[in-house]
Amino acid sequence: MLELLLATAGLVLSVVIVLWGVSIAIRDVSIIDMAFSSIIAGVIVFVYWYSNASGQAANVTLGLVIIWALRMTVYLVNRNWGHGEDVRYTKLRSWVPEGWPFYWFSLRQVFLLQGAVIWVLTLPQQIAFVSAPETAMTILGWIGVALWGIGFFFETLGDWQLSRFRADSSKNGTVLNTGLWRYTRHPNYFGELAQWWGLLLIVAHVPWALVGAVGVAIYSWLVVRVTGKATLEKKMSREKPEYAEYVRRTSGLIPWFPKA
């Protein structure tokens, strides 16, 4: 077990350091976002191979992670490629002097941080695959598959609706409040977290895998309180006056009917 965890930690560390070097060369820190899901899929594939997993639970987990990663990678590359560095990272450049002070800063605050998130997020699957590589699906596991499916639907459709909204110049300066966005202010974030909690349930029959739930909890906290929902809502509140009314009427994360 320890040997596997050290191997995956080394694998993730090596990949993020290489990406850090590439980001310096092309002056674009946001490449880590486009690679995030692919690195996770790579970790899961490596652990699946390393543990000789052949059970139904491992096979289902592997398939769902690959589907998630393919969709996410295609979406983010299509959205970000050729559009320059994400404004969040461009803003970081004003915090420290350019050159190596910023390079070291981006390594600590972006690349190593995301690498740590990737490693802890996949802990349940790492532990389950190596501890019980041949286990079958349980009732709880199929509930996890259903939760993953709900999350995939919300994230995929939410991203598609947002892309269409942004592409319509007549909607500039307005707030997206139709489709799934009528029932939650962040269908994509809700979908993302639902998928990872669903993946946790699939391997929850392996007792030690539940220790890895701390990774999913940390990821959820970061998405809701730090890098995702909270940051985006501050930005939207500054830029769009009508966003306050949207916040009053619409559920923050878990889909629900809007208030009158």
Side-chain angles (χ1 to χ4, degrees):
M1 174 76 72
L2 180 60
E3 180 182 349
L4 169 68
L5 297 179
L6 290 175
T8 54
L11 174 64
V12 172
L13 179 62
S14 300
V15 173
V16 297
I17 288 179
V18 169
L19 288 172
W20 171 63
V22 174
S23 77
I24 295 173
I26 67 175
R27 193 179 168 80
D28 189 350
V29 174
S30 52
I31 61 169
I32 186 63
D33 292 341
M34 291 183 277
F36 183 83
S37 53
S38 296
I39 299 172
I40 287 178
V43 170
I44 298 297
V45 169
F46 172 78
V47 176
Y48 183 88
W49 166 81
Y50 178 93
S51 60
N52 292 315
S54 58
Q56 189 182 31
N59 292 336
V60 169
T61 298
L62 178 67
L64 295 183
V65 169
I66 290 175
I67 292 170
W68 166 82
L70 285 173
R71 190 212 72 87
M72 182 69 77
T73 301
V74 169
Y75 171 73
L76 291 177
V77 170
N78 182 64
R79 188 188 72 177
N80 297 339
W81 193 262
H83 296 284
E85 188 173 61
D86 190 293
V87 292
R88 294 172 300 162
Y89 299 123
T90 301
K91 184 178 180 181
L92 290 182
R93 293 182 180 275
S94 65
W95 292 11
V96 294
E98 277 290 349
W100 282 103
F102 176 76
Y103 301 154
W104 291 123
F105 178 78
S106 68
L107 175 63
R108 296 192 310 270
Q109 298 297 114
V110 179
F111 290 89
L112 292 181
L113 176 60
Q114 295 225 29
V117 170
I118 289 168
W119 188 76
V120 299
L121 180 60
T122 57
L123 275 178
Q125 291 73 38
Q126 294 187 55
I127 295 170
F129 283 13
V130 76
S131 301
E134 298 181 358
T135 55
M137 290 287 290
T138 63
I139 296 295
L140 186 60
W142 288 116
I143 293 173
V145 171
L147 180 58
W148 182 93
I150 292 170
F152 187 79
F153 169 79
F154 267 83
E155 187 169 42
T156 303
L157 184 56
D159 282 342
W160 179 75
Q161 290 173 344
L162 180 59
S163 296
R164 289 191 64 194
F165 178 82
R166 287 175 170 171
D168 187 348
S169 59
S170 68
K171 301 294 179 62
N172 289 347
T174 64
V175 175
L176 173 56
N177 58 5
T178 57
L180 296 181
W181 300 80
R182 171 178 168 81
Y183 303 100
T184 167
R185 302 199 296 272
H186 302 282
N188 44 4
Y189 291 152
F190 166 75
E192 175 74 2
L193 298 183
Q195 286 173 90
W196 280 102
W197 284 105
L199 288 168
L200 174 65
L201 291 181
I202 294 173
V203 298
H205 60 281
V206 181
W208 281 107
L210 291 177
V211 175
V214 65
V216 186
I218 290 172
Y219 185 57
S220 301
W221 177 75
L222 288 171
V223 168
V224 174
R225 298 293 184 182
V226 183
T227 61
K229 177 178 179 291
T231 301
L232 179 59
E233 292 200 336
K234 287 179 183 178
K235 178 177 180 292
M236 295 290 286
S237 297
R238 289 194 307 266
E239 297 177 352
K240 301 182 178 183
E242 67 271 27
Y243 194 73
E245 174 62 16
Y246 176 66
V247 169
R248 187 193 69 78
R249 290 186 290 105
T250 312
S251 172
L253 186 68
I254 298 174
W256 194 247
F257 296 101
K259 296 178 181 178

